[in-house]
Amino acid sequence: MPLVTLPYLVRVLGPEKFGLIAFAQAFIQYFNMLTDYGFNLSATREISIHREDNAKVSEIFSSVMVIKFGLLLVSLVILTVIVFSFKKFRQDWEIYYLTFGMVVGQTLFPVCFFQGNER
C-alpha cells in the first residue's frame, strides 16, 4: 500500500509540503519518547507481576497515567515555546499542533496495561 500512496501524496502535496509533514512527524516523535519514558517496559513488568491483585494493578495503572499526563503537559509547553520562538516553526504552527495529536494518542492508549495482562 505505501508503494501506491507515497507517490500520490508527494504529487498532491508537493515535495516541500511532504517534507514538512515528514519533519513534523520526526520532530513530534521526540515528545512521544518523552511521554513514554520507558513505561511500556517498567509498568508492563509490574502489572504482569501483580496481575492477580486488582488493587495493585489499579494503583500502578493510575500512577503511570498521571505521570504520562504530566509529561504530556510538559511536552505541550516545550512544543509551544519552540514553535513560537523560531520563525520557521511559527510559519507552519498548525501542522506541528495537529501532529502533536500522535503524542496525545500514545499517552492515552494504555499499552503497558494490555501487555502486562497478556492481552
Side-chain angles (χ1 to χ4, degrees), residues 51-102:
R51 185 178 336 168
E52 303 303 322
D53 186 5
N54 288 338
K56 185 69 174 176
V57 168
S58 178
E59 177 187 336
I60 294 167
F61 177 75
S62 298
S63 62
V64 166
M65 292 306 285
V66 166
I67 293 169
K68 285 178 91 170
F69 185 71
L71 290 171
L72 175 71
L73 293 177
V74 168
S75 296
L76 185 60
V77 168
I78 293 171
L79 176 69
T80 301
V81 168
I82 290 173
V83 164
F84 291 108
S85 294
F86 300 100
K87 184 180 178 188
K88 270 283 211 212
F89 285 95
R90 196 176 322 124
Q91 291 172 347
D92 300 306
W93 65 272
E94 300 97 345
I95 291 175
Y96 295 107
Y97 281 102
L98 289 173
T99 310
F100 191 76
M102 294 187 327

Side-chain angles (χ1 to χ4, degrees), residues 15-73:
E16 184 178 320
K17 291 295 181 189
F18 183 78
L20 175 66
I21 291 171
F23 175 77
Q25 289 175 336
F27 178 65
I28 294 299
Q29 284 304 315
Y30 286 108
F31 297 111
N32 251 344
M33 289 189 301
L34 176 68
T35 56
D36 183 35
Y37 198 66
F39 291 122
N40 288 343
L41 301 174
S42 60
T44 300
R45 179 179 177 271
E46 290 300 316
I47 289 174
S48 179
I49 290 171
H50 302 289
R51 185 178 336 168
E52 303 303 322
D53 186 5
N54 288 338
K56 185 69 174 176
V57 168
S58 178
E59 177 187 336
I60 294 167
F61 177 75
S62 298
S63 62
V64 166
M65 292 306 285
V66 166
I67 293 169
K68 285 178 91 170
F69 185 71
L71 290 171
L72 175 71
L73 293 177

